[in-house]
mmCIF file of all heavy atoms in Angstrom:
data_model
loop_
_atom_site.group_PDB
_atom_site.id
_atom_site.type_symbol
_atom_site.label_atom_id
_atom_site.label_comp_id
_atom_site.label_asym_id
_atom_site.label_seq_id
_atom_site.Cartn_x
_atom_site.Cartn_y
_atom_site.Cartn_z
ATOM 1 N N ASN I 406 -26.028 74.434 -9.187
ATOM 2 C CA ASN I 406 -25.738 74.689 -10.595
ATOM 3 C C ASN I 406 -26.499 75.872 -11.172
ATOM 4 O O ASN I 406 -25.968 76.650 -11.964
ATOM 5 C CB ASN I 406 -26.032 73.450 -11.436
ATOM 6 C CG ASN I 406 -24.983 72.370 -11.290
ATOM 7 O OD1 ASN I 406 -23.975 72.546 -10.592
ATOM 8 N ND2 ASN I 406 -25.207 71.237 -11.947
ATOM 9 N N PHE I 407 -27.781 76.029 -10.771
ATOM 10 C CA PHE I 407 -28.651 76.977 -11.470
ATOM 11 C C PHE I 407 -29.091 78.172 -10.598
ATOM 12 O O PHE I 407 -29.543 79.178 -11.177
ATOM 13 C CB PHE I 407 -29.914 76.247 -11.945
ATOM 14 C CG PHE I 407 -29.639 75.162 -12.927
ATOM 15 C CD1 PHE I 407 -29.695 73.837 -12.519
ATOM 16 C CD2 PHE I 407 -29.295 75.412 -14.246
ATOM 17 C CE1 PHE I 407 -29.441 72.792 -13.422
ATOM 18 C CE2 PHE I 407 -29.051 74.399 -15.148
ATOM 19 C CZ PHE I 407 -29.122 73.071 -14.737
ATOM 20 N N LEU I 408 -28.992 78.067 -9.270
ATOM 21 C CA LEU I 408 -29.624 79.087 -8.441
ATOM 22 C C LEU I 408 -28.681 79.792 -7.478
ATOM 23 O O LEU I 408 -28.954 80.911 -7.036
ATOM 24 C CB LEU I 408 -30.774 78.480 -7.611
ATOM 25 C CG LEU I 408 -31.887 77.800 -8.405
ATOM 26 C CD1 LEU I 408 -32.895 77.142 -7.455
ATOM 27 C CD2 LEU I 408 -32.591 78.756 -9.324
ATOM 28 N N ARG I 409 -27.560 79.192 -7.144
ATOM 29 C CA ARG I 409 -26.698 79.726 -6.083
ATOM 30 C C ARG I 409 -25.595 80.605 -6.675
ATOM 31 O O ARG I 409 -24.751 80.148 -7.439
ATOM 32 C CB ARG I 409 -26.055 78.572 -5.299
ATOM 33 C CG ARG I 409 -25.153 78.999 -4.165
ATOM 34 C CD ARG I 409 -24.556 77.777 -3.482
ATOM 35 N NE ARG I 409 -23.725 78.129 -2.358
ATOM 36 C CZ ARG I 409 -22.426 78.437 -2.418
ATOM 37 N NH1 ARG I 409 -21.827 78.412 -3.604
ATOM 38 N NH2 ARG I 409 -21.759 78.720 -1.331
ATOM 39 N N PRO I 410 -25.538 81.897 -6.333
ATOM 40 C CA PRO I 410 -24.443 82.760 -6.785
ATOM 41 C C PRO I 410 -23.097 82.280 -6.170
ATOM 42 O O PRO I 410 -23.051 81.789 -5.037
ATOM 43 C CB PRO I 410 -24.820 84.139 -6.259
ATOM 44 C CG PRO I 410 -26.268 84.047 -5.981
ATOM 45 C CD PRO I 410 -26.545 82.668 -5.574
ATOM 46 N N HIS I 411 -22.033 82.422 -6.971
ATOM 47 C CA HIS I 411 -20.722 81.928 -6.528
ATOM 48 C C HIS I 411 -19.721 83.083 -6.548
ATOM 49 O O HIS I 411 -19.608 83.813 -7.526
ATOM 50 C CB HIS I 411 -20.265 80.813 -7.470
ATOM 51 C CG HIS I 411 -19.251 79.905 -6.846
ATOM 52 N ND1 HIS I 411 -17.962 80.300 -6.566
ATOM 53 C CD2 HIS I 411 -19.337 78.605 -6.444
ATOM 54 C CE1 HIS I 411 -17.282 79.285 -6.039
ATOM 55 N NE2 HIS I 411 -18.108 78.249 -5.944
ATOM 56 N N SER I 412 -18.988 83.202 -5.446
ATOM 57 C CA SER I 412 -18.051 84.316 -5.331
ATOM 58 C C SER I 412 -16.933 84.228 -6.364
ATOM 59 O O SER I 412 -16.459 85.246 -6.868
ATOM 60 C CB SER I 412 -17.451 84.345 -3.924
ATOM 61 O OG SER I 412 -16.802 83.119 -3.620
ATOM 62 N N ALA I 413 -16.507 82.995 -6.698
ATOM 63 C CA ALA I 413 -15.432 82.854 -7.681
ATOM 64 C C ALA I 413 -15.874 83.211 -9.085
ATOM 65 O O ALA I 413 -15.046 83.394 -9.987
ATOM 66 C CB ALA I 413 -14.897 81.413 -7.673
ATOM 67 N N LEU I 414 -17.194 83.310 -9.287
ATOM 68 C CA LEU I 414 -17.740 83.703 -10.584
ATOM 69 C C LEU I 414 -18.282 85.127 -10.577
ATOM 70 O O LEU I 414 -19.178 85.461 -11.332
ATOM 71 C CB LEU I 414 -18.863 82.732 -10.994
ATOM 72 C CG LEU I 414 -18.443 81.239 -11.132
ATOM 73 C CD1 LEU I 414 -19.654 80.367 -11.413
ATOM 74 C CD2 LEU I 414 -17.388 81.086 -12.230
ATOM 75 N N GLU I 415 -17.748 85.931 -9.644
ATOM 76 C CA GLU I 415 -18.169 87.343 -9.496
ATOM 77 C C GLU I 415 -19.656 87.484 -9.205
ATOM 78 O O GLU I 415 -20.341 88.369 -9.715
ATOM 79 C CB GLU I 415 -17.795 88.134 -10.771
ATOM 80 C CG GLU I 415 -16.297 88.157 -11.048
ATOM 81 C CD GLU I 415 -15.972 88.926 -12.316
ATOM 82 O OE1 GLU I 415 -16.907 89.318 -13.005
ATOM 83 O OE2 GLU I 415 -14.772 89.154 -12.553
ATOM 84 N N GLY I 416 -20.156 86.584 -8.353
ATOM 85 C CA GLY I 416 -21.533 86.662 -7.915
ATOM 86 C C GLY I 416 -22.557 86.070 -8.885
ATOM 87 O O GLY I 416 -23.751 86.178 -8.652
ATOM 88 N N ARG I 417 -22.069 85.452 -9.954
ATOM 89 C CA ARG I 417 -23.004 84.814 -10.915
ATOM 90 C C ARG I 417 -23.234 83.359 -10.526
ATOM 91 O O ARG I 417 -22.437 82.741 -9.837
ATOM 92 C CB ARG I 417 -22.417 84.870 -12.331
ATOM 93 C CG ARG I 417 -22.332 86.275 -12.928
ATOM 94 C CD ARG I 417 -21.810 86.239 -14.332
ATOM 95 N NE ARG I 417 -20.400 85.828 -14.366
ATOM 96 C CZ ARG I 417 -19.962 84.666 -14.735
ATOM 97 N NH1 ARG I 417 -20.824 83.726 -15.139
ATOM 98 N NH2 ARG I 417 -18.668 84.386 -14.745
ATOM 99 N N VAL I 418 -24.344 82.806 -10.970
ATOM 100 C CA VAL I 418 -24.592 81.379 -10.786
ATOM 101 C C VAL I 418 -23.751 80.622 -11.834
ATOM 102 O O VAL I 418 -23.431 81.165 -12.891
ATOM 103 C CB VAL I 418 -26.075 81.034 -10.935
ATOM 104 C CG1 VAL I 418 -26.896 81.749 -9.880
ATOM 105 C CG2 VAL I 418 -26.575 81.398 -12.335
ATOM 106 N N PRO I 419 -23.385 79.378 -11.575
ATOM 107 C CA PRO I 419 -22.543 78.637 -12.533
ATOM 108 C C PRO I 419 -23.196 78.507 -13.915
ATOM 109 O O PRO I 419 -22.521 78.642 -14.926
ATOM 110 C CB PRO I 419 -22.366 77.280 -11.861
ATOM 111 C CG PRO I 419 -22.489 77.562 -10.405
ATOM 112 C CD PRO I 419 -23.514 78.654 -10.299
ATOM 113 N N VAL I 420 -24.502 78.234 -13.949
ATOM 114 C CA VAL I 420 -25.213 78.067 -15.233
ATOM 115 C C VAL I 420 -26.283 79.172 -15.269
ATOM 116 O O VAL I 420 -27.281 79.110 -14.545
ATOM 117 C CB VAL I 420 -25.862 76.681 -15.360
ATOM 118 C CG1 VAL I 420 -26.530 76.546 -16.719
ATOM 119 C CG2 VAL I 420 -24.815 75.593 -15.186
ATOM 120 N N VAL I 421 -26.086 80.158 -16.117
ATOM 121 C CA VAL I 421 -27.002 81.294 -16.194
ATOM 122 C C VAL I 421 -28.136 80.965 -17.156
ATOM 123 O O VAL I 421 -27.910 80.665 -18.341
ATOM 124 C CB VAL I 421 -26.270 82.568 -16.669
ATOM 125 C CG1 VAL I 421 -27.247 83.721 -16.796
ATOM 126 C CG2 VAL I 421 -25.142 82.911 -15.692
ATOM 127 N N ILE I 422 -29.367 80.963 -16.645
ATOM 128 C CA ILE I 422 -30.575 80.808 -17.466
ATOM 129 C C ILE I 422 -31.353 82.098 -17.329
ATOM 130 O O ILE I 422 -31.824 82.428 -16.248
ATOM 131 C CB ILE I 422 -31.413 79.605 -16.985
ATOM 132 C CG1 ILE I 422 -30.585 78.304 -17.095
ATOM 133 C CG2 ILE I 422 -32.695 79.480 -17.816
ATOM 134 C CD1 ILE I 422 -31.333 77.084 -16.609
ATOM 135 N N PRO I 423 -31.518 82.856 -18.427
ATOM 136 C CA PRO I 423 -32.169 84.181 -18.330
ATOM 137 C C PRO I 423 -33.561 84.117 -17.698
ATOM 138 O O PRO I 423 -33.928 85.048 -16.942
ATOM 139 C CB PRO I 423 -32.244 84.639 -19.787
ATOM 140 C CG PRO I 423 -31.124 83.914 -20.462
ATOM 141 C CD PRO I 423 -31.023 82.588 -19.787
ATOM 142 N N GLU I 424 -34.323 83.089 -17.960
ATOM 143 C CA GLU I 424 -35.680 82.997 -17.410
ATOM 144 C C GLU I 424 -35.668 82.945 -15.868
ATOM 145 O O GLU I 424 -36.601 83.385 -15.221
ATOM 146 C CB GLU I 424 -36.412 81.759 -17.933
ATOM 147 C CG GLU I 424 -36.688 81.818 -19.442
ATOM 148 C CD GLU I 424 -35.582 81.208 -20.255
ATOM 149 O OE1 GLU I 424 -34.412 81.198 -19.781
ATOM 150 O OE2 GLU I 424 -35.861 80.724 -21.365
#
Side-chain angles (χ1 to χ4, degrees):
N406 285 357
F407 300 104
L408 302 176
R409 181 181 182 274
H411 202 290
S412 59
L414 300 175
E415 299 180 351
R417 292 182 291 106
V418 297
V420 182
V421 178
I422 300 178
E424 294 91 333

